[in-house]
Amino acid sequence: VAMAATRRVMRAVRVFEFGGPEVLKLQSDVLVPVPKENQVLIKVHACGVNPVETYIRSGTYARKPALPYTPGSDVAGVIESVGEHVTAFKKGDRVFTLETLSGGYAEYAVAAVNRVFPLPDKLDFRQGAAIGVPYFTAYRALFQKGCAKAGESVLVHGASGGVGLAACQIARACGLKVLGTAGTEEGMNLILRNGAHQAFNHRDPNYTEGIKACTGPGGVDIIIEMLSNVNLDADLQLLSCAGRVMVVGCRGRIEINPRDTMSKESSITGVSLFLATEEERRECATAVLDGIEAGWLKPVVGLEYPLEKVAKAHEDIIRSSGARGKMVLLL
Protein backbone atom coordinates (compact mmCIF):
# COMPACT_ATOMS: atom_id res chain seq x y z
CA VAL A 1 0.00 0.00 0.00
CA ALA A 2 1.49 3.37 -1.00
CA MET A 3 1.92 5.72 1.93
CA ALA A 4 0.52 9.24 1.44
CA ALA A 5 3.37 11.74 1.36
CA THR A 6 3.60 13.50 4.72
CA ARG A 7 2.62 17.14 4.39
CA ARG A 8 5.09 19.70 5.71
CA VAL A 9 4.12 22.02 8.54
CA MET A 10 5.01 25.67 9.13
CA ARG A 11 4.64 28.50 11.60
CA ALA A 12 1.68 30.76 10.83
CA VAL A 13 -0.49 33.27 12.68
CA ARG A 14 -4.07 32.06 13.04
CA VAL A 15 -7.19 33.95 14.12
CA PHE A 16 -9.88 31.68 15.63
CA GLU A 17 -12.19 34.46 16.84
CA PHE A 18 -12.55 38.17 16.10
CA GLY A 19 -11.25 40.54 18.77
CA GLY A 20 -8.24 42.52 19.99
CA PRO A 21 -4.59 41.88 19.07
CA GLU A 22 -4.50 38.99 21.57
CA VAL A 23 -6.58 36.82 19.18
CA LEU A 24 -3.54 36.55 16.86
CA LYS A 25 -2.15 33.10 17.73
CA LEU A 26 1.21 31.89 16.40
CA GLN A 27 0.93 28.16 15.64
CA SER A 28 3.83 25.91 14.65
CA ASP A 29 1.86 22.99 13.20
CA VAL A 30 -0.03 24.62 10.31
CA LEU A 31 0.06 22.60 7.07
CA VAL A 32 2.04 24.22 4.26
CA PRO A 33 -0.55 25.00 1.56
CA VAL A 34 -0.31 23.38 -1.88
CA PRO A 35 -0.66 25.61 -4.97
CA LYS A 36 -3.49 24.67 -7.33
CA GLU A 37 -3.65 25.65 -11.00
CA ASN A 38 -2.66 29.26 -11.70
CA GLN A 39 -1.29 29.57 -8.16
CA VAL A 40 2.21 29.74 -6.68
CA LEU A 41 3.66 28.83 -3.28
CA ILE A 42 6.00 31.49 -1.86
CA LYS A 43 8.55 31.07 0.92
CA VAL A 44 7.83 34.30 2.81
CA HIS A 45 10.78 36.47 3.89
CA ALA A 46 8.76 39.55 4.90
CA CYS A 47 5.09 40.51 5.14
CA GLY A 48 3.63 44.00 5.33
CA VAL A 49 1.23 44.99 8.11
CA ASN A 50 -1.66 47.24 7.03
CA PRO A 51 -4.19 49.08 9.25
CA VAL A 52 -7.06 47.33 7.43
CA GLU A 53 -5.79 44.00 8.80
CA THR A 54 -6.47 45.24 12.34
CA TYR A 55 -10.05 46.19 11.41
CA ILE A 56 -10.67 42.79 9.79
CA ARG A 57 -9.21 41.02 12.85
CA SER A 58 -11.47 42.99 15.21
CA GLY A 59 -14.56 41.86 13.28
CA THR A 60 -15.72 45.45 12.65
CA TYR A 61 -14.84 45.55 8.95
CA ALA A 62 -17.33 45.09 6.08
CA ARG A 63 -15.46 42.02 4.80
CA LYS A 64 -15.22 39.18 7.31
CA PRO A 65 -13.10 36.15 6.41
CA ALA A 66 -14.27 32.69 7.43
CA LEU A 67 -12.66 31.63 10.73
CA PRO A 68 -10.01 30.49 11.36
CA TYR A 69 -7.82 32.49 8.99
CA THR A 70 -4.28 33.85 8.60
CA PRO A 71 -4.05 37.63 7.98
CA GLY A 72 -1.66 39.34 5.59
CA SER A 73 -1.61 40.19 1.90
CA ASP A 74 1.69 41.93 1.01
CA VAL A 75 4.43 39.33 1.10
CA ALA A 76 7.88 39.28 -0.42
CA GLY A 77 9.87 36.09 -0.81
CA VAL A 78 10.97 33.36 -3.17
CA ILE A 79 8.86 31.02 -5.29
CA GLU A 80 8.93 27.57 -3.68
CA SER A 81 6.72 25.75 -6.20
CA VAL A 82 4.14 26.49 -8.88
CA GLY A 83 0.76 24.98 -9.71
CA GLU A 84 -0.39 23.76 -13.11
CA HIS A 85 -0.42 26.20 -16.05
CA VAL A 86 1.97 28.64 -14.34
CA THR A 87 4.61 29.81 -16.81
CA ALA A 88 5.35 33.32 -15.53
CA PHE A 89 7.38 32.14 -12.50
CA LYS A 90 9.62 29.25 -11.50
CA LYS A 91 11.14 27.95 -8.27
CA GLY A 92 13.72 30.41 -6.92
CA ASP A 93 12.25 33.61 -8.42
CA ARG A 94 12.13 36.65 -6.11
CA VAL A 95 8.59 38.05 -5.97
CA PHE A 96 6.16 40.32 -4.13
CA THR A 97 2.37 40.00 -3.90
CA LEU A 98 -0.65 42.25 -3.79
CA GLU A 99 -2.69 39.65 -1.93
CA THR A 100 -2.48 36.01 -0.86
CA LEU A 101 -5.05 33.22 -0.70
CA SER A 102 -3.72 31.49 2.41
CA GLY A 103 -2.53 34.53 4.42
CA GLY A 104 0.82 36.28 4.57
CA TYR A 105 1.65 36.14 8.31
CA ALA A 106 3.21 32.72 7.73
CA GLU A 107 6.39 30.97 6.59
CA TYR A 108 4.74 29.98 3.30
CA ALA A 109 1.84 31.53 1.41
CA VAL A 110 -0.16 30.60 -1.69
CA ALA A 111 -1.13 33.39 -4.09
CA ALA A 112 -2.93 33.58 -7.43
CA VAL A 113 -0.35 34.11 -10.16
CA ASN A 114 -2.03 37.34 -11.33
CA ARG A 115 -1.43 38.88 -7.88
CA VAL A 116 2.30 38.10 -7.93
CA PHE A 117 5.00 40.32 -9.44
CA PRO A 118 8.76 40.03 -9.96
CA LEU A 119 10.86 41.71 -7.24
CA PRO A 120 13.91 43.37 -8.83
CA ASP A 121 17.30 42.77 -7.20
CA LYS A 122 17.61 46.48 -6.37
CA LEU A 123 14.92 46.06 -3.66
CA ASP A 124 15.30 43.81 -0.61
CA PHE A 125 12.51 41.60 0.78
CA ARG A 126 11.59 44.15 3.47
CA GLN A 127 11.01 46.74 0.75
CA GLY A 128 9.19 44.15 -1.36
CA ALA A 129 6.69 43.66 1.48
CA ALA A 130 6.07 47.43 1.47
CA ILE A 131 4.94 47.71 -2.17
CA GLY A 132 1.60 45.93 -2.77
CA VAL A 133 -1.23 47.54 -0.85
CA PRO A 134 0.42 50.96 -0.26
CA TYR A 135 1.50 51.70 -3.83
CA PHE A 136 -1.52 50.18 -5.57
CA THR A 137 -3.81 52.12 -3.18
CA ALA A 138 -1.93 55.38 -3.69
CA TYR A 139 -1.99 55.02 -7.48
CA ARG A 140 -5.72 54.18 -7.42
CA ALA A 141 -6.49 57.17 -5.16
CA LEU A 142 -4.47 59.62 -7.26
CA PHE A 143 -5.30 58.55 -10.81
CA GLN A 144 -8.08 55.97 -11.10
CA LYS A 145 -10.35 57.78 -8.62
CA GLY A 146 -8.76 61.22 -8.21
CA CYS A 147 -8.05 61.91 -11.91
CA ALA A 148 -4.83 63.70 -10.94
CA LYS A 149 -3.02 65.63 -13.68
CA ALA A 150 0.49 66.99 -13.91
CA GLY A 151 0.57 70.58 -12.65
CA GLU A 152 -2.18 70.06 -10.07
CA SER A 153 -1.53 70.27 -6.34
CA VAL A 154 -2.06 67.36 -3.96
CA LEU A 155 -2.14 67.37 -0.16
CA VAL A 156 -1.28 63.98 1.35
CA HIS A 157 -2.76 63.99 4.84
CA GLY A 158 -0.80 61.55 7.00
CA ALA A 159 2.02 61.30 4.49
CA SER A 160 4.62 59.47 6.58
CA GLY A 161 2.89 56.05 6.58
CA GLY A 162 3.07 53.38 3.88
CA VAL A 163 0.30 54.73 1.62
CA GLY A 164 1.26 58.35 2.30
CA LEU A 165 4.88 57.94 1.26
CA ALA A 166 3.78 55.97 -1.81
CA ALA A 167 1.41 58.82 -2.75
CA CYS A 168 4.19 61.41 -2.33
CA GLN A 169 6.61 59.45 -4.53
CA ILE A 170 4.04 58.73 -7.26
CA ALA A 171 2.59 62.26 -7.32
CA ARG A 172 6.05 63.85 -7.49
CA ALA A 173 7.15 61.52 -10.31
CA CYS A 174 3.99 62.39 -12.23
CA GLY A 175 4.49 66.15 -12.06
CA LEU A 176 2.16 67.25 -9.26
CA LYS A 177 2.93 69.84 -6.60
CA VAL A 178 3.07 67.74 -3.44
CA LEU A 179 2.25 68.92 0.09
CA GLY A 180 2.31 66.48 2.98
CA THR A 181 1.45 66.39 6.67
CA ALA A 182 3.02 64.34 9.46
CA GLY A 183 2.86 64.37 13.24
CA THR A 184 6.57 64.54 14.07
CA GLU A 185 9.69 66.41 12.96
CA GLU A 186 11.15 63.07 11.85
CA GLY A 187 8.01 62.31 9.80
CA MET A 188 8.14 65.73 8.12
CA ASN A 189 11.79 65.21 7.12
CA LEU A 190 10.93 61.76 5.80
CA ILE A 191 8.18 63.04 3.49
CA LEU A 192 10.41 65.84 2.20
CA ARG A 193 12.99 63.20 1.26
CA ASN A 194 10.29 61.19 -0.52
CA GLY A 195 8.73 63.64 -2.94
CA ALA A 196 6.90 66.31 -0.93
CA HIS A 197 7.72 69.89 -1.90
CA GLN A 198 6.54 71.10 1.51
CA ALA A 199 5.69 69.44 4.82
CA PHE A 200 3.35 70.57 7.61
CA ASN A 201 2.96 69.30 11.15
CA HIS A 202 -0.71 68.38 11.64
CA ARG A 203 -0.22 68.71 15.43
CA ASP A 204 0.34 72.44 15.01
CA PRO A 205 -3.06 74.06 15.67
CA ASN A 206 -2.55 76.52 12.78
CA TYR A 207 -1.14 74.13 10.21
CA THR A 208 -4.05 74.66 7.78
CA GLU A 209 -3.10 78.35 7.57
CA GLY A 210 0.33 77.28 6.38
CA ILE A 211 -1.23 75.10 3.69
CA LYS A 212 -3.49 77.97 2.54
CA ALA A 213 -0.49 80.28 2.36
CA CYS A 214 1.28 77.70 0.22
CA THR A 215 -1.57 77.01 -2.24
CA GLY A 216 -2.78 80.62 -2.44
CA PRO A 217 -6.44 81.59 -2.90
CA GLY A 218 -7.00 78.78 -5.42
CA GLY A 219 -6.76 76.02 -2.81
CA VAL A 220 -5.53 72.45 -3.24
CA ASP A 221 -6.81 70.28 -6.11
CA ILE A 222 -6.68 66.84 -4.48
CA ILE A 223 -6.42 65.66 -0.87
CA ILE A 224 -5.37 62.07 -0.15
CA GLU A 225 -6.91 61.54 3.29
CA MET A 226 -5.70 58.86 5.72
CA LEU A 227 -7.70 60.01 8.77
CA SER A 228 -10.96 61.39 7.43
CA ASN A 229 -12.79 61.11 10.77
CA VAL A 230 -10.49 63.87 12.07
CA ASN A 231 -9.70 65.96 8.98
CA LEU A 232 -12.61 65.87 6.53
CA ASP A 233 -14.33 69.04 7.74
CA ALA A 234 -11.07 71.03 7.50
CA ASP A 235 -10.23 69.39 4.15
CA LEU A 236 -13.37 70.86 2.56
CA GLN A 237 -12.12 74.37 3.46
CA LEU A 238 -8.76 73.74 1.79
CA LEU A 239 -10.04 72.54 -1.59
CA SER A 240 -9.99 74.42 -4.87
CA CYS A 241 -13.05 74.74 -7.10
CA ALA A 242 -13.83 71.20 -8.33
CA GLY A 243 -11.33 69.95 -5.76
CA ARG A 244 -11.66 66.39 -4.49
CA VAL A 245 -10.97 64.51 -1.28
CA MET A 246 -10.00 60.85 -1.65
CA VAL A 247 -10.92 58.97 1.53
CA VAL A 248 -8.25 56.28 1.98
CA GLY A 249 -8.44 55.89 5.76
CA CYS A 250 -11.07 56.43 8.44
CA ARG A 251 -11.40 55.39 12.08
CA GLY A 252 -14.81 56.76 13.06
CA ARG A 253 -17.50 59.33 12.35
CA ILE A 254 -17.30 63.07 11.68
CA GLU A 255 -19.75 65.92 11.19
CA ILE A 256 -19.42 68.04 8.04
CA ASN A 257 -21.51 70.71 6.35
CA PRO A 258 -22.44 69.52 2.84
CA ARG A 259 -22.83 73.19 1.84
CA ASP A 260 -19.02 73.34 1.80
CA THR A 261 -19.07 71.02 -1.23
CA MET A 262 -21.71 73.11 -3.02
CA SER A 263 -19.79 76.38 -2.86
CA LYS A 264 -16.87 74.82 -4.75
CA GLU A 265 -18.56 71.88 -6.49
CA SER A 266 -16.04 69.73 -4.67
CA SER A 267 -16.36 66.00 -4.11
CA ILE A 268 -15.59 63.35 -1.53
CA THR A 269 -14.74 59.91 -2.94
CA GLY A 270 -14.05 56.69 -1.06
CA VAL A 271 -11.14 54.53 -2.21
CA SER A 272 -11.02 50.74 -1.85
CA LEU A 273 -8.38 48.65 -3.55
CA PHE A 274 -10.60 45.58 -3.06
CA LEU A 275 -13.07 46.99 -5.60
CA ALA A 276 -10.51 47.44 -8.37
CA THR A 277 -11.27 45.56 -11.58
CA GLU A 278 -8.72 43.20 -13.09
CA GLU A 279 -7.93 45.86 -15.71
CA GLU A 280 -7.44 48.55 -13.04
CA ARG A 281 -5.15 46.25 -11.06
CA ARG A 282 -3.06 45.65 -14.18
CA GLU A 283 -2.80 49.41 -14.73
CA CYS A 284 -1.61 49.85 -11.11
CA ALA A 285 0.90 47.03 -11.55
CA THR A 286 2.33 48.56 -14.74
CA ALA A 287 2.76 51.95 -13.04
CA VAL A 288 4.39 50.35 -9.97
CA LEU A 289 6.80 48.15 -11.95
CA ASP A 290 7.72 51.13 -14.18
CA GLY A 291 8.39 53.18 -11.04
CA ILE A 292 10.73 50.52 -9.64
CA GLU A 293 12.51 50.34 -12.99
CA ALA A 294 12.84 54.13 -13.23
CA GLY A 295 14.14 54.31 -9.64
CA TRP A 296 11.65 56.73 -8.08
CA LEU A 297 9.62 53.99 -6.38
CA LYS A 298 11.63 53.31 -3.22
CA PRO A 299 9.60 51.77 -0.40
CA VAL A 300 10.46 53.09 3.06
CA VAL A 301 10.40 50.39 5.73
CA GLY A 302 9.44 51.51 9.22
CA LEU A 303 9.09 49.31 12.28
CA GLU A 304 10.05 45.64 11.90
CA TYR A 305 8.78 42.74 14.05
CA PRO A 306 9.43 39.01 14.21
CA LEU A 307 6.33 36.82 13.73
CA GLU A 308 6.22 36.17 17.52
CA LYS A 309 5.54 39.89 18.09
CA VAL A 310 2.58 40.16 15.69
CA ALA A 311 0.16 41.26 18.43
CA LYS A 312 2.50 44.12 19.34
CA ALA A 313 2.68 45.13 15.67
CA HIS A 314 -1.14 45.31 15.53
CA GLU A 315 -1.21 47.46 18.68
CA ASP A 316 1.51 49.79 17.44
CA ILE A 317 0.10 50.40 13.94
CA ILE A 318 -3.08 51.85 15.48
CA ARG A 319 -1.55 53.54 18.55
CA SER A 320 1.75 54.88 17.22
CA SER A 321 2.24 58.63 17.56
CA GLY A 322 3.54 59.05 14.03
CA ALA A 323 4.18 56.59 11.24
CA ARG A 324 7.62 56.36 9.64
CA GLY A 325 7.23 54.12 6.65
CA LYS A 326 5.68 50.70 6.19
CA MET A 327 5.48 48.27 9.10
CA VAL A 328 6.70 44.74 8.29
CA LEU A 329 6.93 41.29 9.86
CA LEU A 330 10.22 39.49 9.22
CA LEU A 331 10.42 35.72 8.88
Side-chain angles (χ1 to χ4, degrees):
V1 180
M3 294 289 287
T6 50
R7 291 273 305 272
R8 288 186 299 165
V9 294
M10 63 174 180
R11 293 187 313 143
V13 174
R14 302 292 280 162
V15 175
F16 294 93
E17 58 178 329
F18 296 113
E22 71 282 353
V23 303
L24 297 161
K25 305 286 188 203
L26 181 57
Q27 315 258 274
S28 55
D29 58 353
V30 180
L31 286 174
V32 173
V34 176
K36 300 187 175 78
E37 63 176 341
N38 299 314
Q39 296 177 358
V40 297
L41 178 67
I42 299 163
K43 183 170 186 3
V44 178
H45 287 258
C47 181
V49 180
N50 296 294
V52 69
E53 286 146 25
T54 69
Y55 312 148
I56 293 169
R57 181 214 71 227
S58 68
T60 58
Y61 196 65
R63 285 173 38 264
K64 279 195 187 63
L67 295 167
Y69 77 99
T70 295
S73 56
D74 305 338
V75 308
V78 175
I79 298 281
E80 177 80 4
S81 63
V82 301
E84 279 185 274
H85 311 312
V86 173
T87 53
F89 299 103
K90 61 184 186 309
K91 184 176 166 66
D93 287 349
R94 288 163 41 95
V95 294
F96 71 93
T97 69
L98 177 61
E99 57 190 67
T100 68
L101 295 163
S102 59
Y105 297 7
E107 290 177 327
Y108 293 89
V110 161
V113 73
N114 64 355
R115 302 287 191 277
V116 179
F117 307 96
L119 179 64
D121 290 336
K122 63 171 98 165
L123 299 179
D124 63 28
F125 291 118
R126 294 152 53 253
Q127 291 174 301
I131 300 172
V133 170
Y135 283 88
F136 281 60
T137 300
Y139 183 86
R140 181 167 179 75
L142 281 163
F143 298 104
Q144 292 177 342
K145 294 293 166 188
C147 305
K149 294 179 186 63
E152 287 191 313
S153 57
V154 59
L155 169 63
V156 183
H157 229 152
S160 61
V163 179
L165 288 165
C168 289
Q169 290 177 1
I170 294 171
R172 179 66 178 251
C174 294
L176 282 91
K177 179 180 182 182
V178 185
L179 316 178
T181 75
T184 63
E185 196 66 36
E186 189 186 358
M188 288 166 66
N189 290 330
L190 182 63
I191 62 184
L192 288 169
R193 287 198 304 274
N194 283 279
H197 292 88
Q198 282 194 269
F200 304 88
N201 189 330
H202 55 65
R203 293 181 197 281
D204 173 352
N206 297 317
Y207 81 98
T208 54
E209 296 310 312
I211 293 170
K212 284 177 183 163
C214 184
T215 59
V220 66
D221 297 307
I222 305 169
I223 298 178
I224 307 292
E225 184 52 75
M226 310 304 165
L227 198 59
S228 47
N229 53 301
V230 172
N231 301 321
L232 189 57
D233 188 47
D235 288 344
L236 295 177
Q237 322 301 321
L238 294 171
L239 286 176
S240 64
C241 271
R244 48 259 188 226
V245 181
M246 312 313 313
V247 177
V248 173
C250 182
R251 295 184 185 174
R253 302 176 73 84
I254 185 171
E255 188 171 309
I256 62 165
N257 183 351
R259 190 174 290 279
D260 294 336
T261 64
M262 295 159 63
S263 57
K264 296 174 178 172
E265 291 194 327
S266 56
S267 59
I268 302 163
T269 302
V271 178
S272 171
L273 188 56
F274 299 116
L275 296 177
T277 63
E278 191 57 48
E279 194 182 355
E280 286 172 330
R281 259 192 302 268
R282 276 201 298 269
E283 184 194 337
C284 289
T286 301
V288 164
L289 294 169
D290 286 353
I292 296 173
E293 188 64 31
W296 56 256
L297 193 156
K298 288 203 184 76
V300 178
V301 177
L303 296 169
E304 301 172 9
Y305 299 79
L307 209 48
E308 295 76 20
K309 294 277 198 306
V310 63
K312 178 90 173 85
H314 268 224
E315 265 169 51
D316 293 351
I317 199 166
I318 294 300
R319 297 217 182 122
S320 71
S321 57
R324 290 175 300 283
K326 171 76 182 220
M327 184 183 282
V328 296
L329 298 172
L330 297 181
L331 286 97

